[in-house]
Amino acid sequence: MVFTPPQSASVDAYSVSRPERPLVLLNPAKDDYYRQRFDVAHELGHLVMHGDEEPGNNIIENQANRFAAEFLMPAEQIAPRLPARADWQLLAQLKETWGVSLQALLYRSRQLGIMRDVTYRNAMTTISTRGWRRREPGEVVAVEQPSMLPRAVGLVSPQALAEQSRLPAHLLSVITSRTPVD
């Protein structure tokens, strides 16, 4: 998991399947812990199920969303807790307990047949109206930070790594940083 350079971050996340080590790249502008977790699980779904599929296909995107939802909120455990209507207080509690966004909880409730489609659409309209699409209410938790590449950089000099990877030094510092770099 690494961050993309801010100016090139046009999507929330994407993954690259490589035999040696798959890679998930995250948009540094998306500083929402709860939504980022779903993005990472979604990309894991692509890596596990789709290997070298063409991105953007609705079928594979829906499959990756279903994978992420089940991975983060197993049906057996979450179904008894999900509301059939948009109970914002309960959803806020579930958000903190499960570490997922309100939007992910609504998606899962609809996906499991607990919430009707019309109720889901109305709840999503409320989220948009309240400005919660990008910044949901609730406790702000720091986003998870990549750790493997920053630790690996400590094993070799940054200059040697830049030369061997043939990456510009600035780009290398961005992708090996534990936090997004401007």
Side-chain angles (χ1 to χ4, degrees):
M1 185 171 89
V2 297
F3 289 108
T4 60
Q7 65 274 19
S8 68
S10 60
V11 295
D12 291 337
Y14 61 96
S15 53
V16 179
S17 182
R18 296 280 186 255
E20 321 79 60
R21 180 161 318 273
L23 192 59
V24 173
L25 296 104
L26 302 173
N27 181 337
K30 188 174 191 176
D31 61 347
D32 186 308
Y33 166 82
Y34 304 97
R35 291 179 59 227
Q36 184 190 66
R37 289 186 75 230
F38 196 90
D39 289 345
V40 171
H42 173 99
E43 294 306 322
L44 177 61
H46 281 310
L47 292 169
V48 168
M49 299 183 298
H50 303 127
D52 51 3
E53 291 283 334
E54 191 65 33
N57 175 312
N58 281 341
I59 293 170
I60 67 169
E61 290 305 315
N62 287 334
Q63 289 172 349
N65 281 336
R66 289 194 331 261
F67 176 93
E70 180 65 23
F71 185 78
L72 296 172
M73 301 167 279
E76 224 175 75
Q77 295 163 357
I78 198 154
R81 294 168 175 80
L82 288 171
R85 62 181 183 79
D87 178 338
W88 298 112
Q89 186 174 0
L90 175 59
L91 287 166
Q93 291 169 355
L94 291 172
K95 174 182 176 173
E96 299 303 321
T97 301
W98 288 84
V100 295
S101 69
L102 297 173
Q103 295 167 75
L105 289 162
L106 291 169
Y107 171 84
R108 191 65 165 147
S109 187
R110 181 189 67 169
Q111 181 191 38
L112 294 174
I114 296 162
M115 184 176 284
R116 294 184 5 232
D117 285 344
V118 68
T119 306
Y120 171 80
R121 283 192 306 274
N122 289 338
M124 292 304 290
T125 298
T126 299
I127 281 182
S128 292
T129 303
R130 294 181 180 178
W132 295 350
R133 280 281 188 185
R134 294 275 179 215
R135 177 64 68 197
E136 293 183 354
E139 182 180 337
V140 176
V141 178
V143 295
E144 294 174 304
Q145 304 298 325
S147 59
M148 187 178 352
L149 275 176
R151 276 190 263 149
V153 170
L155 301 175
V156 295
S157 78
Q159 182 180 2
L161 187 57
E163 287 171 9
Q164 290 176 8
S165 65
R166 297 186 187 137
L167 290 172
H170 176 70
L171 180 58
L172 185 65
S173 72
V174 169
I175 65 172
T176 59
S177 174
R178 286 191 51 85
T179 58
V181 176
D182 292 329

